[in-house]
Amino acid sequence: MRYHNITKDDMLNGDGLRVVLWLAGCTHCCKGCQNPITWDPDGGLLFDDAAKQEIFDQLDKSYIAGITFSGGDPLHAANRLDVRNLMAEIKEKYPDKTIWLYTGDVWEGICHYPIMKYVDVLVDGEFVEALKDVKLCWKGSKNQRVIDVQASLKQTDTDNPVIYCQDYEG
């Protein structure tokens, strides 16, 4: 797994102050993407023990609400297993911290992935430049959804995800 950056005290990529891991690798290549540098799965830096420790040092802080996985795409084939293993370790070590995941994939195609048992909130769907709206809640375009993953997994109809937050009206 490779990454481009670890952002500290982030308020834009999930609820509360967060640490954000920006991963390398994305096949969606959305027009107008804010991070096209992250598309190459061989770009960035190798995720090593020092990077993991940097994340854990942030999660040790009581005021940090959790971690957000973004990119690139954390569910890119080059990332999925390592991201799942890191999420499992985070959930075990920091059970009260939330895990957010941004992906260009849609919920209906990934809700069965084993990784979802570790995710609290999912922002799904490709960024669509024509649907961009800066007033949206934690997402870039109107087609994307902010999903309460654990509530959605408890439903018998997983094709109807529970929305974590509605868009702002105004």
Side-chain angles (χ1 to χ4, degrees):
M1 174 170 79
R2 300 184 69 81
Y3 75 104
H4 281 271
N5 195 17
I6 296 171
T7 307
K8 300 169 181 84
D9 298 334
D10 184 286
M11 296 185 298
L12 302 174
N13 295 283
D15 220 351
L17 283 175
R18 315 187 66 73
V19 57
V20 182
L21 177 60
W22 301 90
L23 292 151
C26 185
T27 58
H28 300 285
C29 303
C30 303
K31 181 180 178 191
C33 173
Q34 68 174 357
N35 292 317
I37 194 170
T38 64
W39 293 352
D40 181 359
D42 297 320
L45 307 166
L46 182 64
F47 188 82
D48 59 9
D49 288 337
K52 185 194 297 191
Q53 190 57 53
E54 186 176 345
I55 288 171
F56 287 174
D57 288 347
Q58 292 302 303
L59 292 171
D60 282 340
K61 298 175 181 177
S62 61
Y63 63 85
I64 296 296
I67 184 168
T68 299
F69 290 83
S70 193
D73 192 340
L75 297 184
H76 184 280
N79 299 326
R80 198 174 305 138
L81 180 60
D82 290 328
V83 167
R84 186 186 78 195
N85 291 341
L86 180 57
M87 284 182 178
E89 191 172 348
I90 289 169
K91 275 296 183 189
E92 184 175 321
K93 189 170 177 145
Y94 306 98
D96 297 328
K97 306 284 183 172
T98 58
I99 294 177
W100 282 52
L101 173 71
Y102 281 77
T103 181
D105 296 324
V106 293
W107 167 257
E108 292 79 5
I110 60 174
C111 62
H112 63 281
Y113 284 11
I115 197 172
M116 287 301 140
K117 71 180 177 181
Y118 303 112
V119 178
D120 295 293
V121 178
L122 172 75
V123 181
D124 81 334
E126 292 185 353
F127 171 75
V128 177
E129 194 171 37
L131 299 176
K132 179 179 178 178
D133 185 340
V134 296
K135 294 180 275 183
L136 297 173
C137 182
W138 294 308
K139 59 187 182 175
S141 58
K142 292 179 181 180
N143 61 298
Q144 295 172 311
R145 298 172 292 182
V146 182
I147 297 169
D148 182 328
V149 173
Q150 296 310 307
S152 298
L153 290 174
K154 289 177 185 168
Q155 296 186 133
T156 53
D157 179 14
T158 56
D159 282 344
N160 243 340
V162 177
I163 301 301
Y164 179 78
C165 80
Q166 296 297 329
D167 296 331
Y168 296 120
E169 297 295 327

